Amino acid sequence: MRKIEVHLKKGAAQDAVLRAIKASDPIDYAVFRPTQENRIVYEVFMRDGTSQALVDAIQSVMEKERDWRVNVMAIEATMPQIEERDDDKTENNTRAIREEMLTSVRRDGVFGRYFAIMVVLSSVVAAVGMNSDSAAGVIGAMVIAPLLGPILAFAMGAALGNFDLLRTSGKSLALGIALALGASLVIGLAVPINTDSGELMSRSQVRLDAIALALASGAAAALSLARGAASALVGVMVAAALLPPGAAIGMFAASGYPDLAARAALLLILNVACLVLSALVTFRLHGISPRGWIDQQNATRAFWTNVALTLVFLTIAAALIV
């Protein structure tokens, strides 16, 4: 259940907004007139899975107006209990709305001080853990790695044709990987490499099952975001595909093993491509698309362009692996 607040000026648009609210089959709604004489507020309570249509309708009505705002809030509990309908039991009932997902990926996909610190710390833990053949250390590094956000933001940007989001998230992902490489390179220069470590040497083995792992991780991450579910565990899955290979590149390069570093780099690039591809396809299958027709056409072109480029790369990479 979600509460949607609509704040706007009194005028012609308020009647159109009210008609859109009534047509959306809300659980309940109320009209408030705050102390400002020229303002009006609508509070609407919607069943899960039905909010997107109302939000889109309100935006269509208000796109030529000024000084308005729509707030969407999740309701954890309400009394008395709302009677379930048959369509409340469908899969779409649990879907987050587009604006909620955009807010989430924009927040988590921005490169900042906290992001940089966590990438460096997780890379150091991963490098030391792999070099000491400690599975616990590698897992701990994946738990704290903040790499899920840029991947989902990039896939969301491609799904919506949002080129600003594509640029921002692509920059964050590139800087995050560069920081991971730099931190692991320093560790590799300071600590002798342990070539007997199974955790480290496994990151130089590029196999076809790595494609399956990355594809499943990306799809799980996108589905988790689209359903509004917790993403901590899928964040670990995504970090598993990105952080250890990235740290291994720096360790191998610093220790004079360019061939092993190249294999780890191929694994990393392969994983990035698979993660973006599977997340992008999952968003598309889940019906994540822009509101306007022109934006939908741009999103379709962006989707197929990214899919085509990724498939070409995956084909070349698979041939190299075989």
Side-chain angles (χ1 to χ4, degrees):
M1 181 178 176
R2 284 176 171 80
K3 181 176 78 169
I4 299 175
E5 288 185 353
V6 187
H7 299 249
L8 69 157
K9 287 183 177 181
K10 291 182 180 178
Q14 71 182 72
D15 294 331
V17 170
L18 184 58
R19 286 195 296 270
I21 292 172
K22 291 179 178 179
S24 66
D25 190 23
I27 296 173
D28 194 9
Y29 73 92
V31 183
F32 298 92
R33 291 170 175 81
T35 55
Q36 301 98 317
E37 293 183 358
N38 65 332
R39 304 293 293 179
I40 190 167
V41 178
Y42 296 104
E43 282 193 2
V44 190
F45 295 89
M46 301 292 296
R47 297 176 185 272
D48 287 333
T50 63
S51 303
Q52 186 70 74
L54 175 58
V55 171
D56 287 347
I58 293 172
Q59 290 185 83
S60 297
V61 170
M62 302 299 298
E63 59 186 356
K64 294 183 180 180
E65 301 291 331
R66 299 180 62 184
D67 196 14
W68 60 276
R69 182 163 301 280
V70 176
N71 300 321
V72 180
M73 291 155 279
I75 302 297
E76 299 296 335
T78 185
M79 282 72 69
Q81 186 173 356
I82 303 297
E83 183 178 353
E84 283 192 348
R85 304 181 305 189
D86 290 339
D87 56 354
D88 289 336
K89 302 174 183 178
T90 63
E91 288 294 323
N92 284 337
N93 185 44
T94 59
R95 187 166 71 181
I97 69 172
R98 182 196 314 114
E99 287 73 17
E100 289 175 319
M101 289 185 280
L102 270 173
T103 300
S104 176
V105 298
R106 279 176 175 152
R107 180 185 63 245
D108 297 336
V110 175
F111 184 86
R113 181 183 302 177
Y114 174 80
F115 183 94
I117 292 173
M118 294 304 290
V119 167
V120 171
L121 292 178
S122 60
S123 300
V124 171
V125 174
V128 174
M130 287 190 298
N131 200 49
S132 60
D133 202 16
S134 170
V138 177
I139 294 172
M142 293 185 297
V143 170
I144 63 176
L147 298 174
L148 174 63
I151 286 288
L152 287 179
F154 190 89
M156 178 68 73
L160 296 177
N162 188 326
F163 297 104
D164 288 337
L165 185 59
L166 277 171
R167 284 191 294 269
T168 301
S169 57
K171 178 182 176 181
S172 297
L173 181 60
L175 289 175
I177 292 176
L179 274 178
L181 293 177
S184 60
L185 187 64
V186 172
I187 296 298
L189 292 172
V191 179
I193 192 172
N194 178 16
T195 55
D196 294 327
S197 170
E199 288 289 340
L200 179 60
M201 298 307 295
S202 65
R203 269 68 194 191
S204 66
Q205 301 172 6
V206 189
R207 302 187 300 266
L208 290 177
D209 58 0
I211 297 178
L213 171 64
L215 287 174
S217 299
L223 189 60
S224 174
L225 177 67
R227 290 174 60 88
S231 57
L233 293 179
V234 293
V236 175
M237 293 172 62
V238 170
L242 296 180
L243 187 63
I249 296 172
M251 295 286 289
F252 288 134
S255 303
Y257 294 93
D259 53 336
L260 297 181
R263 292 183 182 184
L266 176 60
L267 177 61
L268 175 64
I269 297 172
L270 184 67
N271 285 343
V272 171
C274 290
L275 286 167
V276 171
L277 176 64
S278 59
L280 178 57
V281 172
T282 301
F283 284 143
R284 187 76 175 187
L285 294 177
H286 214 67
I288 308 301
S289 62
R291 180 171 55 89
W293 183 84
I294 295 178
D295 292 335
Q296 290 177 2
Q297 302 308 305
N298 292 334
T300 299
R301 285 194 293 270
F303 170 81
W304 287 114
T305 299
N306 280 277
V307 167
L309 291 174
T310 307
L311 287 177
V312 169
F313 173 79
L314 288 181
T315 301
I316 296 173
L320 290 174
I321 293 172
V322 172

